[in-house]
């Protein structure tokens, strides 16, 4: 049994509309406030599974990391980091762009280099749950 649009609208009361609007506002507020990753403190660069550098994110710096197929260039600026250049064929880690949240990771698999941001309030996802 389905109701025509006019029939279900007749069942709504003014308080129902306020409850729905209040719920939508609460969901929007929760999304903006609670679903944010923490601010990153440091960038961790790994090559071949070993930590090559752990750099504070308050200074501007460029790190060249050698790998099996060439050199990966990592750029660090205050509060963010990215893989600027990589010799890999598909450039997935370069396309990742600027990492700005604690727990964010860019992996250059063919060159065995990874960049991750660490901080106190890292987001949880299916990889680290």
């Amino acid at each position: 049994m389905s109701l025509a649009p006019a029939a279900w609208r007749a069942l709504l009361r003014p308080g129902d509309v306020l409850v729905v609007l209040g719920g939508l506002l609460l969901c929007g507020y929760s999304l903006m406030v609670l679903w944010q990753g923490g601010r990153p403190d440091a960038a961790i660069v790994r090559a071949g599974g070993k930590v090559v550098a752990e750099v504070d994110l308050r200074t501007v710096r460029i790190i060249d990391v050698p790998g099996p197929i060439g050199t990966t260039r990592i750029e660090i600026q205050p509060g963010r980091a990215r893989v600027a250049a990589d010799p890999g064929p598909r450039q997935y880690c370069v396309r990742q762009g600027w990492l700005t949240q604690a727990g964010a990771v860019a992996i250059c698999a063919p060159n065995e280099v990874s960049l991750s941001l660490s901080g106190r309030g890292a987001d949880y996802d299916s990889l680290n749950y």
Side-chain angles (χ1 to χ4, degrees):
M1 175 178 149
S2 68
L3 294 173
W8 66 263
R9 274 192 230 131
L11 297 174
L12 290 177
R13 304 283 181 246
D16 295 338
V17 173
L18 291 176
V19 169
V20 169
L21 288 176
L24 290 172
L25 287 173
L26 181 65
C27 288
Y29 176 76
S30 298
L31 179 71
M32 293 178 68
V33 171
L34 300 175
W35 200 331
Q36 294 180 1
R39 299 195 78 160
D41 298 329
I44 301 169
V45 180
R46 290 183 176 86
K50 297 178 182 159
V51 175
V52 173
E54 189 167 344
V55 182
D56 186 24
L57 286 179
R58 287 181 269 168
T59 59
V60 176
R61 192 167 173 188
I62 293 178
I63 301 170
D64 289 326
V65 183
I69 62 172
T71 302
T72 299
R73 175 165 284 197
I74 296 175
E75 184 178 351
I76 297 176
Q77 291 188 359
R80 63 187 189 162
R82 72 175 177 155
V83 177
D86 182 67
R90 292 188 177 82
Q91 300 289 302
Y92 290 136
C93 56
V94 176
R95 291 183 201 169
Q96 197 76 26
W98 289 103
L99 305 179
T100 58
Q101 305 274 338
V105 178
I107 300 172
C108 305
N111 206 26
E112 299 177 7
V113 174
S114 70
L115 166 66
S116 62
L117 300 184
S118 66
R120 285 181 245 133
D123 277 346
Y124 290 100
D125 60 16
S126 61
L127 293 177
N128 60 15
Y129 173 68

